[in-house]
Amino acid sequence: MRVVFAGTPEPAVPSLRRLIESANHEVVAVVTRPDAVAGRGRKVTRSPIGLLADEHGIPVLTPAKASDPDFAAELARLEPDCAPVVAYGNLLPQNILDIPKHGWVNLHFSLLPAWRGAAPVQAAISAGDEVTGASAFRLEAGMDTGPVYGVMTERIRDTDTAGDLLGRLAENGATLLESVLDGLEAGEINAVPQSADGVSYAPKVTVDAARVRWELPARTIDRHVRAVTPAPGAWTMIGDLRVKVGPVTVTDETLAVGEISVRKDGLYIGTATTAVRLGQIQPPGKKLMSAGDWARGARLDAEVRAQ
């Protein structure tokens, strides 16, 4: 099939690479978010999907808005049979959805209808789900409401961060997406409407929402920190200093909520249940480092709390 692929961040790369290498499909163009200023140097940076397309000489479309009439005209000129999409990051109006013969097939990193929205991987870890997966579905006007062509499942490991889990889902989901396109081309696959039961939502995780709340149980904090790692990153206040924190280990130790204990094997912080051991910390302007080493060097006052 002639396909126009839409995507922007790194998790979309395995799917595009798979389709580029496919003998059954031709990627005639890529749609991605416009180049953006990023990093400390504030340099204009191409999206990971744009960079991969450039490497293979594939035309790249970067509309500021998907409603741009010029974008619609260019997409129609390309005459795609299907438009696979993975984490593109722009809402698509109905006139754009109607252009490809087989519509837009979205790879979403959850088992729909669970965790519709921008942050399904983070939500699944935070909620303590044991299993998640990816769904390939046909885009329609509603948010992640379209009928589903196929799914794959993935167990959530006890130590998974959002980055770990998303990496596996991106690789395994690429296989699912390719198989769905194969089925559409062969006329051997049909989409099934989503169930009205089990619907849940996963809004984008803000920096404010990534703050650690030490008054919660230790295992809830463990899941929360892993869910927002690496982005936007868990953080807390230690005294008047704002620091980022890495994944924690639940212990059997008992400390008051927010109480800090510096020991040889790390920095312990009290929660509503047992204390957690913080292995790594990132003070402002510094790289990630051993939490215990930082705390010993900082010579924290005995009254300082995490909050």
Side-chain angles (χ1 to χ4, degrees):
M1 285 197 296
R2 289 173 58 84
V3 301
V4 171
F5 183 93
T8 297
E10 193 65 36
V13 167
S15 289
L16 176 57
R17 182 178 290 117
R18 185 110 186 178
L19 294 178
I20 290 172
E21 297 171 352
S22 172
N24 297 328
H25 310 294
E26 177 189 5
V27 182
V28 297
V30 157
V31 183
T32 191
R33 296 292 294 272
D35 297 354
V37 174
R40 290 187 178 180
R42 308 306 291 165
K43 294 182 179 179
V44 176
T45 305
R46 191 76 140 169
S47 76
I49 285 298
L51 290 173
L52 181 58
D54 290 342
E55 290 175 14
H56 292 270
I58 299 171
V60 178
L61 308 180
T62 58
K65 293 183 178 180
S67 57
D68 186 338
D70 291 339
F71 172 54
E74 179 63 16
L75 190 62
R77 187 191 66 78
L78 290 167
E79 297 183 335
D81 295 310
C82 187
V85 54
V86 184
Y88 169 42
N90 250 337
L91 293 176
L92 301 174
Q94 191 62 49
N95 68 309
I96 296 296
L97 294 176
D98 291 339
I99 291 174
K101 176 183 176 182
H102 293 290
W104 294 69
V105 178
N106 188 23
L107 181 66
H108 182 76
F109 297 119
S110 80
L111 298 175
L112 292 171
W115 304 129
R116 295 172 177 171
V121 174
Q122 294 91 329
I125 293 175
S126 184
D129 293 352
E130 295 182 356
V131 176
T132 187
S135 305
F137 72 98
R138 181 162 179 152
L139 277 181
E140 58 182 30
M143 185 179 66
D144 302 331
T145 57
V148 176
Y149 289 107
V151 302
M152 52 78 54
T153 59
E154 181 73 28
R155 187 179 70 82
I156 300 177
R157 301 169 187 171
D158 291 341
T159 58
D160 270 340
T161 64
D164 298 331
L165 181 55
L166 185 55
R168 298 201 306 275
L169 290 173
E171 291 291 343
N172 296 333
T175 303
L176 168 65
L177 184 61
E178 182 185 27
S179 68
V180 166
L181 296 190
D182 290 345
L184 286 171
E185 183 179 38
E188 297 174 348
I189 191 170
N190 293 302
V192 177
Q194 293 185 35
S195 171
D197 299 324
V199 176
S200 53
Y201 295 94
K204 181 179 178 180
V205 181
T206 65
V207 171
D208 285 347
R211 184 173 187 170
V212 181
R213 295 168 54 195
W214 300 107
E215 70 272 17
L216 296 176
R219 296 201 179 278
T220 301
I221 291 171
D222 165 45
R223 295 197 304 266
H224 170 75
V225 174
R226 289 188 289 111
V228 298
T229 300
W235 63 278
T236 188
M237 298 297 297
I238 294 184
D240 59 359
L241 188 67
R242 175 171 168 165
V243 296
K244 284 191 173 183
V245 298
V248 303
T249 301
V250 177
T251 75
D252 294 328
E253 302 288 335
T254 301
L255 294 171
V257 171
E259 182 181 355
I260 295 173
S261 176
V262 183
R263 308 183 187 182
K264 289 184 179 180
D265 61 343
L267 187 156
Y268 287 67
I269 302 178
T271 78
T273 52
T274 58
V276 298
R277 184 174 69 249
L278 180 59
Q280 292 184 306
I281 197 168
Q282 185 176 6
K286 304 287 186 178
K287 294 182 178 180
L288 203 63
M289 63 180 69
S290 162
D293 289 348
W294 171 81
R296 282 185 286 272
R299 298 182 180 181
L300 299 176
D301 187 282
E303 301 302 316
V304 169
R305 294 288 187 270
Q307 52 188 339

